[in-house]
Amino acid sequence: MRGYGFLRVGGPEQQAFIEVPEPVPGPDELLVRVRAAGVNPGDWRVRAGTYGTEGPAVLGREVAGTVLALGDGVTGFAPGDEVFGGCPGMLGGWAPTALVTASFAAHRPDRVTPEQAAVLPVAAGTAHDTLTNLNLESGRTLLVNGAGGGVGLPLVQLARRGGLAVVGTASPAKHDLLARLGATPVAYGEGVADRIRAAAPDGVDGALDLVGGDALRAVAGLVQAGRLYSVADKALVKELGGDEVARDRSTAVLTELARLVATGDLDPLVRAVHPLDEAGDALELVEGGHITGKIVLVP
């Protein structure tokens, strides 16, 4: 089977189409014919060695597709079902067939396209889990540091739907979209803490950082340490007294996200669909950090 991945840990020069055996589902796994696959910053971070995975390996952390076979003991799914979910070990989706973790998979509603469903497990799933971790009451204020990215955009939508006020830092090019989604956009850079205080004069009740480094340090003092989370800089956020987001990779979460898409309460913001042959170009766009919305690969 021909899939797109990386030969060894390193930069984009290590990316290539590689020949790998067709996967065989094991316990808690589904084998699916891929209809769409999401592209995420985590994909280039896998290639760069952030998660300790060595090549050669096929990239791709989330897919939507048709069930071909079930692993031993898997229930609730059958061959022919249209499903979506996360790939075991964050790998394998950019190929004609892929394994999906059955306990982190859900049936795809007819009103949700494969392209929409394929981008829900990683980014929208993280957004959902952030709100669960924070458990803020309606009327409270959430700060999203890096709100214009893949996790930030669904987080803004879910938070506003839950009655939260949202302040989001982002580059000016993304401010109009954030405002349309109901957030108060604030520019990055020097003086960002003062701008956030002006946007939220009663203070910030919880925060998710999606940038890390100095950008995280700049906003950390605006929220109690126990209400500060980061998915971009797990070491630094713990140094600052906060924590990483505890993920609930479950069928229940994906089913709820798909329901919200089907009812129009959550827009996955799929901005571009590329053929799998253009996987390298799609990952370059995501790694550059300037794309607004999600990119999807299709066979």
Side-chain angles (χ1 to χ4, degrees):
M1 178 179 79
R2 178 175 177 264
Y4 192 82
F6 65 107
L7 300 170
R8 59 186 61 85
V9 168
E13 73 281 355
Q14 298 298 336
Q15 295 168 197
F17 278 99
I18 57 178
E19 294 292 331
V20 295
E22 184 158 339
V24 176
D28 196 31
E29 291 179 345
L30 308 171
L31 177 67
V32 304
R33 176 72 63 188
V34 176
R35 297 187 61 183
V39 183
N40 294 281
D43 295 312
W44 67 259
R45 293 188 179 112
V46 167
R47 182 213 68 219
T50 301
Y51 303 115
T53 301
E54 298 182 358
V58 175
L59 290 168
R61 306 175 65 190
E62 56 184 359
V63 301
T66 307
V67 176
L68 298 175
L70 312 179
D72 289 344
V74 172
T75 61
F77 300 97
D81 286 351
E82 292 298 323
V83 300
F84 67 103
C87 299
M90 304 184 296
L91 290 171
W94 297 357
T97 63
L99 296 177
V100 171
T101 302
S103 57
F104 190 39
H107 292 91
R108 177 177 63 81
D110 291 340
R111 286 180 290 175
V112 179
T113 68
E115 292 80 8
Q116 291 174 319
V119 302
L120 295 178
V122 174
T126 301
H128 177 281
D129 295 342
T130 296
L131 293 176
T132 300
N133 281 222
L134 284 168
N135 193 29
L136 296 176
E137 298 176 352
S138 178
R140 300 294 186 178
T141 298
L142 171 68
L143 169 64
V144 184
N145 196 33
V151 175
L153 294 172
L155 178 55
V156 168
Q157 295 179 69
L158 295 173
R160 293 294 296 136
R161 184 177 179 276
L164 301 180
V166 181
V167 177
T169 67
S171 60
K174 300 179 180 182
H175 284 193
D176 285 348
L177 174 58
L178 288 173
R180 289 199 300 274
L181 295 177
T184 300
V186 171
Y188 288 130
E190 184 177 354
V192 63
D194 290 336
R195 290 190 290 276
I196 293 169
R197 291 188 186 96
D202 294 329
V204 172
D205 301 296
L208 175 66
D209 165 67
L210 299 164
V211 186
D214 289 341
L216 169 55
R217 292 184 187 278
V219 304
L222 297 171
V223 62
Q224 293 181 4
R227 294 288 191 174
L228 174 66
Y229 290 85
S230 177
V231 298
D233 201 330
K234 297 174 183 178
L236 178 57
V237 75
K238 290 182 179 180
E239 177 186 319
L240 295 170
D243 207 347
E244 61 185 286
V245 174
R247 293 297 315 275
D248 177 15
R249 296 179 172 89
S250 69
T251 295
V253 168
L254 295 185
T255 299
E256 172 63 7
L257 291 172
R259 185 190 69 80
L260 293 174
V261 175
T263 59
D265 292 306
L266 174 64
D267 185 350
L269 294 168
V270 174
R271 294 306 196 203
V273 178
H274 293 253
L276 182 59
D277 284 345
E278 297 177 4
D281 295 334
L283 187 54
E284 181 180 359
L285 289 171
V286 172
E287 189 166 0
H290 301 299
I291 187 74
T292 300
K294 300 295 294 183
I295 295 181
V296 176
L297 299 174
V298 295

